[in-house]
Amino acid sequence: GNIGLAIRAPWPVAEEEDKILTRQARFLRESIKHFRSQAGRAKKGWMRASILVNDSYPQWKIDTLVWMQGQYDVSSGFSPGFMKDLKDYTAKFVKDKKLIKFTMQFASFMKK
């Protein structure tokens, strides 16, 4: 019921920020923005698109992320020669040419 005035009610107490949830929300916002920008460049006549959500990565993506984690420096981020190092990594560990292309695109996207 109506007990007292709203101006006398206590201020709500905020819980501690969930950092993982904040990062996930930022990732989704940026992904939607990227998706919409890509949709603007789609071929004429395309009226539909699909977004696939997966709860796990294929092994080649996991390997790429683990490699990227080793390349990342907390104080300076990725090195300026990151893409060259990535090219060397893919030449050594990725055998399929299509997979090399996918690995380069995936790493470039995840770097952003």
Side-chain angles (χ1 to χ4, degrees):
N2 296 341
I3 303 172
L5 300 172
I7 59 172
R8 294 186 188 216
W11 194 259
V13 178
E15 295 179 17
E16 188 175 333
E17 177 188 15
D18 184 352
K19 301 280 186 185
I20 293 174
L21 188 60
T22 302
R23 288 186 67 200
Q24 289 172 340
R26 188 180 84 220
F27 175 78
L28 284 175
R29 265 194 320 274
E30 290 173 0
S31 296
I32 289 171
K33 182 180 175 184
H34 178 72
F35 179 77
R36 287 179 175 156
S37 73
Q38 292 297 321
R41 293 186 229 152
K43 293 181 181 179
K44 287 189 176 184
W46 285 22
M47 302 302 287
R48 290 190 202 176
S50 298
I51 298 176
L52 303 176
V53 179
N54 213 347
D55 62 351
S56 63
Y57 283 123
Q59 190 60 43
W60 68 270
K61 285 186 177 183
I62 294 170
D63 295 340
T64 303
L65 289 171
V66 168
W67 178 82
M68 287 176 71
Q69 187 176 17
Q71 300 298 309
Y72 187 77
D73 182 21
V74 177
S75 60
S76 61
F78 289 106
S79 71
F82 173 78
M83 292 309 283
K84 183 185 179 309
D85 296 339
L86 178 62
K87 193 172 185 179
D88 295 341
Y89 165 77
T90 56
K92 241 185 243 181
F93 297 106
V94 183
K95 302 300 177 207
D96 185 18
K97 283 195 175 224
K98 264 191 178 177
L99 201 54
I100 290 174
K101 178 183 173 187
F102 292 153
T103 302
M104 299 286 280
Q105 289 175 342
F106 176 71
S108 177
F109 176 74
M110 293 307 287
K111 182 182 170 198
K112 293 178 187 177

